[in-house]
Amino acid sequence: MYKTSAFLLLLLSSLIAAAQPRVSRQQAKSLSAPHRNSIALTPDNWEVKPNSVEFLTWQSVPAMKITTSDGSAVLKGVDFTDGTIEYDMDPVDPRFTSMYFRQSSTDERECFYFRTKAAGNNTAMDAIQYAPFIAGVNLWDMLPAYQGNATYERGKWNHVKLVISGKQMWVYINDTARAALKIPRLEANVQHGSIGFEGQVIIANLVIRPGDTGGLSPAASPDLTDSDPRYLREWKVTSPLVTTKDIDFSSSFMPAKEAAWEDIWTERGGLVNLTRKFGMSKERRIVWLKTKIHADKQQLKKLNLGFSDEVWVFINGRYLYVDKNLYGMPIMKTPEGRCSIENTAFNVPLNEGDNELLIGVANSFYGWGIIARLD
């Protein structure tokens, strides 16, 4: 009886150990007792961008200070998957300070960041944001719902806690009882990787607890648009065509009769994510998307369209609508030039039977895609 119980206990211990996130031998030393979760803020523990990081004592505690906006520090020897990351920070940068996790490279990683201009502003709706990096592109402009308000200040310590479990993340800022931001689905292509910081900031009391997810489910939260039949979800797409910024539009950009079309389906929230499909480009590109709309009679239907950055819309071969959503320009759409179902709406004349909706989408700035919802 005793031998059987001992065997079962040993087997259970082995299974639990195998399920833990991967941590290198080097990092295991810094996680050893008595402070097994504390990370040393010392030069030998970090890979830093030259001349951009100082290790010092700040407000009586050991700290790491990133001194430039493009400065960075990546924790050595960590391969993080799930768990809790906590730290204190004093936001110095006038614009942004970021924290990366599951970073396999600077092109593929998860990012949580502060818009530090919102420090002290309790009503700013964009004080904090989560954004994935996919193929080197920061998709901040494609996911406006993944930002929110948080209370933090300059010149003092602010406590940050990230709980990461599978596809979900909850973020706490100076309040460990109420999450300031809940991410229902982490969108990057990576599942594990390094942890790092970027932008002018002072970091102290960094603690990493691999595997400690506080009971947060690893499954993505339900997408409330899944049951909404108004979203147009099945599309076909052409390969990208490189164009110049000097030419707004030309009939030569139209898809040829012999053009090859591939199937593409929407992601969460009805997003046609062209960045995930085609990656980064430093040049302006245009693709064509088309779908069929069946109508039981001739009628007008309202189409809500989110897009980034430029669109040309045709119905049954006829020019219907053209628009631009250029961030930082007077022509940018609500909300602040991001891709959202709020961007625009117009009527689409439908004939009885099948109708072809054709949309040209051009992009040269961050994320690329559309959201279409037909009443």
Side-chain angles (χ1 to χ4, degrees), residues 4 13 29 32 40 80 85 91 98 106 108 130 149 161 179 190 208 246 256 264 267 284 296 303 306 317 329 370:
T4 302
S13 299
K29 293 179 181 178
S32 61
F80 179 85
I85 302 170
S98 305
T106 55
E108 301 288 341
Y130 154 76
N149 175 253
K161 177 181 176 182
V190 290
I208 300 174
D246 298 331
I264 186 169
E267 298 183 3
R284 181 175 183 257
D296 56 4
L303 181 74
M329 302 293 182
I370 70 163

Side-chain angles (χ1 to χ4, degrees), residues 161-330:
K161 177 181 176 182
L162 287 77
V163 180
I164 300 153
S165 178
K167 285 296 184 181
Q168 290 200 66
M169 176 174 72
W170 286 18
V171 179
Y172 301 81
I173 309 294
N174 290 325
D175 183 350
T176 56
R178 185 187 68 85
L181 188 65
K182 296 180 180 180
I183 303 304
R185 188 180 193 280
L186 294 168
E187 300 285 356
N189 293 325
V190 290
Q191 284 76 48
H192 62 90
S194 61
I195 292 171
F197 297 89
E198 187 177 74
Q200 296 179 72
V201 67
I202 304 170
I203 301 292
N205 301 318
L206 175 61
V207 174
I208 300 174
R209 297 193 296 276
D212 180 3
T213 60
L216 180 62
S217 171
S221 294
D223 178 2
L224 298 182
T225 70
D226 274 349
S227 57
D228 191 332
R230 296 174 298 167
Y231 285 85
L232 302 180
R233 303 184 187 277
E234 295 184 53
W235 295 84
K236 292 185 179 295
V237 64
T238 62
S239 296
L241 172 69
V242 175
T243 71
T244 67
K245 291 186 178 181
D246 298 331
I247 302 175
D248 182 67
F249 188 72
S250 166
S251 58
S252 65
F253 298 163
M254 297 292 292
K257 290 183 179 180
E258 65 274 15
W261 296 84
E262 291 186 67
D263 293 334
I264 186 169
W265 285 71
T266 58
E267 298 183 3
R268 189 181 185 94
L271 173 66
V272 180
N273 192 337
L274 296 172
T275 299
R276 200 185 301 275
K277 174 74 174 175
F278 298 115
M280 173 188 275
S281 174
K282 295 182 179 179
E283 301 174 288
R284 181 175 183 257
R285 294 180 296 175
I286 183 172
V287 297
W288 290 92
L289 291 163
K290 69 178 180 181
T291 190
K292 293 289 186 184
I293 301 172
H294 185 82
D296 56 4
K297 62 181 179 180
Q298 188 175 11
Q299 59 191 289
L300 285 176
K301 285 267 190 177
K302 179 183 175 183
L303 181 74
N304 288 88
L305 183 67
F307 62 97
S308 180
D309 297 318
E310 306 168 67
V311 289
W312 298 267
V313 183
F314 296 79
I315 186 69
N316 296 323
R318 297 178 61 185
Y319 218 144
L320 177 64
Y321 184 83
V322 60
D323 210 343
K324 300 178 185 292
N325 185 15
L326 305 177
Y327 176 76
M329 302 293 182

Side-chain angles (χ1 to χ4, degrees), residues 14-89:
S14 300
L15 291 173
I16 292 173
Q20 294 302 309
R22 288 162 286 191
V23 179
S24 72
R25 290 182 180 179
Q26 177 183 347
Q27 190 58 23
K29 293 179 181 178
S30 68
L31 297 179
S32 61
H35 304 291
R36 68 183 184 87
N37 299 125
S38 298
I39 305 299
L41 298 173
T42 54
D44 60 338
N45 218 23
W46 296 84
E47 181 180 334
V48 303
K49 189 171 183 178
N51 304 315
S52 70
V53 178
E54 297 177 5
F55 296 91
L56 68 169
T57 297
W58 188 262
Q59 298 184 16
S60 303
V61 297
M64 177 176 68
K65 182 179 182 180
I66 301 178
T67 58
T68 63
S69 293
D70 63 347
S72 63
V74 178
L75 185 58
K76 294 179 181 178
V78 165
D79 191 10
F80 179 85
T81 303
D82 294 329
T84 297
I85 302 170
E86 290 193 68
Y87 60 98
D88 294 323
M89 72 97 180

